[in-house]
Amino acid sequence: MSHKRRTFSISNVSRSAGEGVLDIPSLSVLRYKSPAVLLKEFKDTWGVDARAVALPVAESDGLLYEIDGLQGVPLSSHAQPSQVLKGFEDVVEEFLKAKKDIILSFCPTMGYIPGEGLQICDISGVTTPQPCIANPRSTEVLGAILGTGIDIVQEVASRRPGCGLKGIALDVTDLWGMSGELGRVEATCFCTACTGHFTETAPELLKYFKTFPNPWSLLLRPTATGIDFASEVPPGITPEEIVGIARQRKYIEQFPGSEQNELLEYANLLLRYMRSRHALTLGAIGALFDYATQDMDEKFTRILIMEGETYGWTSGIWLEELENEYRNEENRSFDELWLNVTPGYLPRTVPYRAYMWRRSRYTINNFFDLAGSLSSASMRANTLLSQMSTEECRRLVAERWQRVHGSALSSQAALVSLPRRPVDGETDTDVRCGFVGVGLDREFGDRFSDQMVILPSRADNNTARPTDSHIASILRNMQGNKDSRADRSG
């Protein structure tokens, strides 16, 4: 007697996963795989076709197309992705030809826009190359980059009716970097635009964050490899609860001799700062989207790419507070979230897609930032990267990729862990509208590191090879120049 295999509920995981989006974080991916291959691999991996494709409008090493008013800003080494795809327009054309809608993604933290007047400013008044998203002038620059991309897609789509631009996604995972050492958390930003906002909304507040220890140290603690942090911090948390977390995690050691009443006052100041930074960030996001889409009749879905933490220290955003923002239809600055699903908090009313990579775009961005630094003459010559030879840098990129790819959730089985979407006939209130699969595989890093152009440095003439501990020290110091958050250690 033959036995018929049973069908289990998880066999429907792909069908219940919702609409799939293929995210291509860098056009360098198209150097190794054609759009057709990427779309086929998406179907093979997830069991469903990609309904839309997310394409970047800029890279970590430069722009992908010319922008009026930004002459002199470098074009990325990936601006011509392959011998077949000569530029950004060709990439758009190819995916539209495959009947895929386009979503433009933008990480606004590029460090190649000149001029200190736009840049992030740290606690001691030192600027970093990253533009401050809250600066109105930055809004014009960043909005022009995104807006030009919108115009290009619209122009190409007008020649190929059927599919077109569906949405614009802003990567907010690393807007506000931080660094420091034990007892000295140095977060950003103290530029004129940011200080003006805090002066207006929370007078006298910032002076408590320009000394050490400061209120940040209640929930942040620098370590040898980065910054340990508490992120499961809801907007309704009390000062007493914050101090309790600090004691539990031993962050309290950064406040030697402080009494309970002093710690509670620090906690009050910290909450005031977090609320004000949240409001500033959402206002800046809305302004950027508005500027990029001004004078357009079409309405595009506005998407925020986030890590998925209850409070994002480098996004400056409380995830739960976005519910209130979303309900205000007239003034809402976004329509959808892409985030890595974590146990902390899931949106209740805001439509979202599960981003299938731990910490979302955060570690992916760090990888491409490193690669971009190695192809920059100023970064290669004027930072600690100059102490590493070309081959050591190449090895570093390959090793970094292995760690980054370890965060990938790139298998159909990973969909099982997502909140189940309602199937036909059910009236569940889940607002997850689909998922985002990333077009990166393990082999990408090997091929990328083998073929990337790394500028030589004075270390190439030094026969004495640095030890692994020396290289580790260089990397720790490099992290301190931007954002040295470590993976969570507790």
Side-chain angles (χ1 to χ4, degrees):
M1 178 180 177
S2 61
H3 178 77
K4 184 179 180 180
R5 293 189 179 183
R6 295 166 292 163
T7 300
F8 296 94
S9 59
I10 61 171
S11 64
N12 294 319
V13 65
S14 291
R15 184 169 68 89
S16 63
E19 186 179 79
V21 174
L22 167 62
D23 184 25
I24 300 176
S26 167
L27 294 193
S28 61
V29 175
L30 296 170
R31 183 186 305 168
Y32 313 110
K33 294 182 180 179
S34 69
V37 169
L38 288 169
L39 291 170
K40 180 181 183 303
E41 289 183 348
F42 186 97
K43 174 68 179 292
D44 293 343
T45 300
W46 304 109
V48 295
D49 288 314
R51 180 65 186 85
V53 176
L55 298 174
V57 299
E59 301 274 351
S60 60
D61 67 335
L63 302 173
L64 289 173
Y65 38 75
E66 299 285 352
I67 311 289
D68 285 344
L70 292 183
Q71 279 72 26
V73 175
L75 283 180
S76 168
S77 58
H78 313 304
Q80 180 179 332
S82 68
Q83 293 298 317
V84 176
L85 302 171
K86 303 295 186 182
F88 183 77
E89 282 191 44
D90 289 352
V91 175
V92 172
E93 175 87 30
E94 200 67 18
F95 281 110
L96 289 177
K97 190 189 303 182
K99 296 184 173 14
K100 304 301 176 186
D101 284 322
I102 302 296
I103 296 172
L104 293 179
S105 69
F106 186 28
C107 181
T109 61
M110 76 284 286
Y112 40 77
I113 305 296
E116 293 185 357
L118 304 179
Q119 295 174 347
I120 289 279
C121 182
D122 71 12
I123 194 171
S124 58
V126 178
T127 58
T128 63
Q130 177 178 325
C132 175
I133 191 175
N135 186 319
R137 195 61 170 166
S138 294
T139 299
E140 296 180 28
V141 173
L142 300 173
I145 296 172
L146 178 56
T148 301
I150 291 173
D151 290 344
I152 291 172
V153 176
Q154 291 287 82
E155 181 182 335
V156 176
S158 68
R159 304 193 299 262
R160 188 175 289 280
C163 295
L165 184 62
K166 178 180 181 181
I168 45 180
L170 192 64
D171 182 347
V172 301
T173 57
D174 197 14
L175 297 179
W176 314 111
M178 63 183 73
S179 60
E181 56 192 60
L182 188 62
R184 294 176 62 91
V185 175
E186 300 179 19
T188 52
C189 169
F190 293 87
C191 74
T192 302
C194 287
T195 53
H197 167 83
F198 279 96
T199 298
E200 181 179 338
T201 61
E204 302 291 308
L205 178 62
L206 282 187
K207 71 179 182 181
Y208 297 100
F209 291 84
K210 292 185 176 181
T211 185
F212 301 107
N214 56 48
W216 284 315
S217 292
L218 285 171
L219 295 177
L220 299 166
R221 177 171 180 158
T223 69
T225 57
I227 292 184
D228 189 25
F229 58 97
S231 63
E232 303 309 317
V233 185
I237 195 170
T238 65
E240 289 79 7
E241 289 172 318
I242 288 179
V243 173
I245 292 173
R247 292 190 185 282
Q248 182 184 38
R249 288 176 169 260
K250 298 183 179 180
Y251 295 177
I252 210 74
E253 296 171 359
Q254 299 177 100
F255 298 88
S258 293
E259 300 293 334
Q260 178 72 0
N261 62 330
E262 293 179 89
L263 296 172
L264 290 173
E265 180 57 28
Y266 276 128
N268 269 305
L269 294 168
L270 180 58
L271 284 171
R272 288 176 62 198
Y273 175 88
M274 294 164 76
R275 292 183 186 117
S276 190
R277 178 60 77 183
H278 174 92
L280 172 65
T281 304
L282 284 186
I285 288 168
L288 199 163
F289 277 140
D290 286 345
Y291 190 89
T293 57
Q294 63 181 340
D295 302 324
M296 300 195 75
D297 295 329
E298 298 89 339
K299 299 294 184 184
F300 309 113
T301 302
R302 299 180 175 195
I303 302 160
L304 301 185
I305 305 177
M306 306 177 64
E307 286 193 61
E309 297 165 338
T310 305
Y311 181 75
W313 287 101
T314 52
S315 71
I317 295 175
W318 253 310
L319 184 55
E320 192 171 345
E321 282 293 297
L322 295 181
E323 306 282 2
N324 295 328
E325 168 85 4
Y326 183 76
R327 293 188 191 102
N328 186 354
E329 292 187 29
E330 290 186 4
N331 296 312
R332 93 171 43 143
S333 57
F334 66 94
D335 306 300
E336 185 178 304
L337 305 177
W338 291 359
L339 46 84
N340 177 217
V341 173
T342 67
Y345 181 83
L346 285 178
R348 297 188 179 95
T349 60
V350 185
Y352 74 96
R353 296 180 193 273
Y355 198 94
M356 305 307 291
W357 205 285
R358 294 184 187 91
R359 301 188 69 182
S360 185
R361 276 276 196 91
Y362 184 84
T363 57
I364 295 172
N365 291 343
N366 283 350
F367 171 79
F368 286 112
D369 284 347
L370 171 63
S373 297
L374 292 172
S375 62
S376 164
S378 61
M379 291 290 288
R380 192 76 170 97
N382 300 320
T383 69
L384 290 171
L385 285 171
S386 63
Q387 299 180 34
M388 299 178 67
S389 70
T390 299
E391 286 311 307
E392 285 160 353
C393 289
R394 198 176 301 283
R395 181 173 61 122
L396 171 63
V397 172
E399 291 173 352
R400 177 69 63 86
W401 172 250
Q402 295 305 314
R403 292 200 297 273
V404 170
H405 191 265
S407 297
L409 302 171
S410 51
S411 69
Q412 186 187 42
L415 296 175
V416 177
S417 65
L418 301 182
R420 192 174 71 89
R421 297 180 71 252
V423 296
D424 296 342
E426 294 184 344
T427 57
D428 202 305
T429 58
D430 180 59
V431 290
R432 185 172 64 82
C433 51
F435 69 97
V436 181
V438 187
L440 297 170
D441 58 18
R442 185 173 296 278
E443 290 70 32
F444 166 81
D446 296 333
R447 300 170 75 177
F448 183 87
S449 60
D450 285 344
Q451 297 180 25
M452 71 175 292
V453 176
I454 300 176
L455 296 178
S457 75
R458 59 179 177 268
D460 288 299
N461 299 321
N462 188 350
T463 56
R465 182 181 180 280
T467 64
D468 287 342
S469 61
H470 183 206
I471 292 175
S473 175
I474 291 173
L475 291 177
R476 283 196 298 272
N477 281 286
M478 279 177 56
Q479 287 178 315
N481 290 334
K482 184 172 183 287
D483 172 7
S484 58
R485 278 204 308 165
D487 291 334
R488 264 172 278 195
S489 59

